[in-house]
Amino acid sequence: MSATQTRSIFPRRLLGAVCIAALGLSLAGCASKGQLTTGSIPSMNKPLEAMNASELHFAAESIGRAYDRNPKDAAVGMKYASVLNMGGRSEQALAVMQQVAIHNPTDRAVLAAYGKALAGAGQFDKALDAIQRSQTPDRPDWQLLSAEGAIHDQMGDPATARQRYRKALDIQPNEPSILSNLGMSYVLQGDLRTAETYLASAVRQPGADSRVRQNLALVVGLQGRFQEAEKIAGAELSPQQASANVTYLRAMLSQQNAWNKLKDSDKKNTN
């Protein structure tokens, strides 16, 4: 197999590894933002990204009751789907977003979240169709472009993904969520230095949320700079949570250079 072919396989395996790592990092890398606020959503003491499994379960029960009272409320439905997804209940999150999209067929934020939920369930073609149908060519929406880019990344098409991210940045310059997605796109290709550049820029922007900072911590940790990663993660997490995240990442990569093991495995499978 050629070097080019080997590189095309390695990122697909890396995609799985990065998503596993993100689970250890408070579901920072592979979850939706979940940053909506409304009076009808039960108040919570910490961001969803910083919750442990039991806290996510409690949040899902609490927000689920609000959703049951008014399933047409877009903000409540999106928040409920987000916490379900973070808790690993992607199929249920998709079912919720299907109902939210039916009740709010013209809401672009809802349609973007619905597309992400479809992608989270592995239904990439349907996810792209949902987002593209909601887009208006004469007035493109940056959130939909960024969501489309994330789906293309999951489908193993980084060139198209980055094209969508850059179009989104043309509309919404320096938007931290887009810069974060662009950075993670390079992570999936093993280009950690470029990824760090975009993620560091994302963190510096006003409005950068926990997910963005945890993604940067992930990339720094993947390069073996664990103390720096712990410092970044600890900017908003408790010392115990930050330490647990970095310990998880260190364990994942400590098996005599996990990157080389992945590459060696590719070579063995092609002989």
Side-chain angles (χ1 to χ4, degrees), residues 108-109 111-113 131 134-136 141-149:
R108 289 186 171 188
L111 292 169
I131 289 177
S134 66
Q135 189 67 274
T136 52
D141 182 87
W142 67 266
Q143 289 178 302
L144 295 177
L145 285 168
S146 186
E148 187 179 347

Side-chain angles (χ1 to χ4, degrees), residues 152-174:
H152 280 291
D153 262 330
Q154 293 177 77
M155 295 175 72
D157 184 5
T160 302
R162 292 167 198 171
Q163 181 187 55
R164 298 297 187 272
Y165 296 141
R166 292 188 171 99
K167 286 180 67 176
L169 286 170
D170 287 341
I171 299 170
Q172 192 77 5
N174 298 320

Side-chain angles (χ1 to χ4, degrees), residues 7-101:
R7 285 195 296 271
S8 71
I9 290 177
F10 177 61
R12 293 174 186 268
R13 299 194 176 191
L14 179 57
L15 172 60
V18 169
C19 285
I20 291 171
L23 289 173
L25 291 169
S26 303
L27 294 143
C30 299
S32 57
K33 289 178 71 173
Q35 296 298 312
L36 292 172
T37 57
T38 176
S40 57
I41 298 179
S43 60
M44 290 175 285
N45 295 326
K46 64 172 66 174
L48 295 180
E49 295 88 348
M51 292 184 180
N52 59 33
S54 62
E55 290 169 332
L56 283 170
H57 177 76
F58 178 80
E61 293 296 315
S62 179
I63 299 172
R65 288 190 291 270
Y67 171 77
D68 289 339
R69 288 192 296 269
N70 185 10
K72 295 182 180 180
D73 188 315
V76 172
M78 292 171 70
K79 194 76 168 182
Y80 185 37
S82 180
V83 71
L84 288 172
N85 192 49
M86 288 184 178
R89 297 153 69 179
S90 59
E91 293 295 335
Q92 188 177 351
L94 174 56
V96 169
M97 283 310 309
Q98 285 175 329
Q99 292 302 309
V100 175

Side-chain angles (χ1 to χ4, degrees), residues 117-243:
L118 284 164
Q123 300 182 34
F124 299 121
D125 291 334
K126 289 183 178 180
L128 282 177
D129 180 65
I131 289 177
Q132 289 169 351
R133 283 191 293 106
S134 66
Q135 189 67 274
T136 52
D138 57 326
R139 294 187 64 187
D141 182 87
W142 67 266
Q143 289 178 302
L144 295 177
L145 285 168
S146 186
E148 187 179 347
I151 294 167
H152 280 291
D153 262 330
Q154 293 177 77
M155 295 175 72
D157 184 5
T160 302
R162 292 167 198 171
Q163 181 187 55
R164 298 297 187 272
Y165 296 141
R166 292 188 171 99
K167 286 180 67 176
L169 286 170
D170 287 341
I171 299 170
Q172 192 77 5
N174 298 320
E175 165 57 38
S177 64
I178 306 172
L179 290 169
S180 179
N181 281 349
L182 184 54
M184 294 305 289
S185 179
Y186 282 96
V187 174
L188 301 180
Q189 294 294 299
D191 186 350
L192 298 180
R193 291 186 178 181
T194 302
E196 183 179 351
T197 297
Y198 283 112
L199 285 163
S201 177
V203 166
R204 292 193 295 269
Q205 306 306 320
D209 62 19
S210 174
R211 180 190 60 165
V212 176
R213 284 182 284 274
Q214 299 309 310
N215 282 346
L216 177 59
L218 168 66
V219 170
V220 170
L222 284 170
Q223 296 175 79
R225 290 149 45 205
F226 296 109
Q227 289 186 341
E228 185 179 347
E230 188 167 1
K231 183 177 179 180
I232 295 168
E236 58 198 340
L237 301 180
S238 70
Q240 294 80 9
Q241 287 174 317
S243 179

